[in-house]
Amino acid sequence: MTAVPMSATPDAYDRSVGRYARELAPRFAAFAGVAALPPGPILDVGCGTGALTAWLAARAGGAALAGIDPDERFAAACRARVPGADVRVAPAEAIPFRDATFQAALAQLVFAFVPDPARAAAEMARVVRPGGTVATCLFAADGLPAVSTFWRAAARADPAAPGERPHPLRD
């Protein structure tokens, strides 16, 4: 169960997961040690509509940033939000940048939706310079509170309800 269907519009995403992403961006960047990195480009993997990209741009400038997202609509929303950033359409498992291009590759709230997380992590490591940072974060093990609440209520109404799908990276 994903919080936002893959067919969701960028506006719907911003009203749901995006609101968490905006609040999480400064905390995630601090966790990843972005402020301590030498100057250089940063990649936002699964940039969505650009919550993390925009936060980073406010501190580093859009030209120092790149993002990828597999959905053109989301990549376009990120481009509009962060003019000057190099935002491309691509999955996390096939990052379209050369080896050792970035000081950091960050993936905020996206790995739960990545079909092959191990391949995506390897791709992130490939495009980061030696000594750089690769960091990801996910929702808590029990997922989004609203989604968990929904599935608990669904199970009470119908014991055969499928429930929230467990995810190995959130264990």
Side-chain angles (χ1 to χ4, degrees):
M1 167 72 191
T2 60
V4 179
M6 297 314 289
S7 62
T9 66
D11 287 340
Y13 175 87
D14 277 343
R15 288 189 308 273
S16 60
V17 175
R19 67 189 173 128
Y20 297 106
R22 287 186 300 276
E23 292 179 28
L24 179 60
R27 292 175 180 95
F28 180 46
F31 166 80
V34 169
L37 291 172
I42 298 173
L43 174 65
D44 185 355
V45 175
C47 61
T49 60
L52 176 62
T53 315
W55 189 89
L56 292 166
R59 279 118 195 107
L65 295 170
I68 62 165
D69 198 276
D71 188 312
E72 172 56 43
R73 298 167 306 152
F74 286 76
C78 185
R79 281 186 215 106
R81 184 170 279 161
V82 189
D86 181 0
V87 180
R88 302 180 188 184
V89 176
E93 300 92 340
I95 298 174
F97 291 98
R98 293 192 325 237
D99 295 0
T101 299
F102 299 97
Q103 288 293 4
L106 308 177
Q108 176 176 281
L109 303 178
V110 70
F111 262 54
F113 308 108
V114 172
D116 187 348
R119 178 72 187 138
E123 277 291 281
M124 291 172 70
R126 178 187 65 76
V127 300
V128 169
R129 297 172 183 162
T133 297
V134 172
T136 69
C137 67
L138 292 170
F139 292 110
D142 59 353
L144 287 170
V147 174
S148 297
T149 300
F150 169 83
W151 284 114
R152 281 194 304 275
R156 281 194 300 273
D158 178 2
E164 187 172 7
R165 181 174 49 99
H167 194 279
L169 297 178
R170 293 191 310 201
D171 290 342

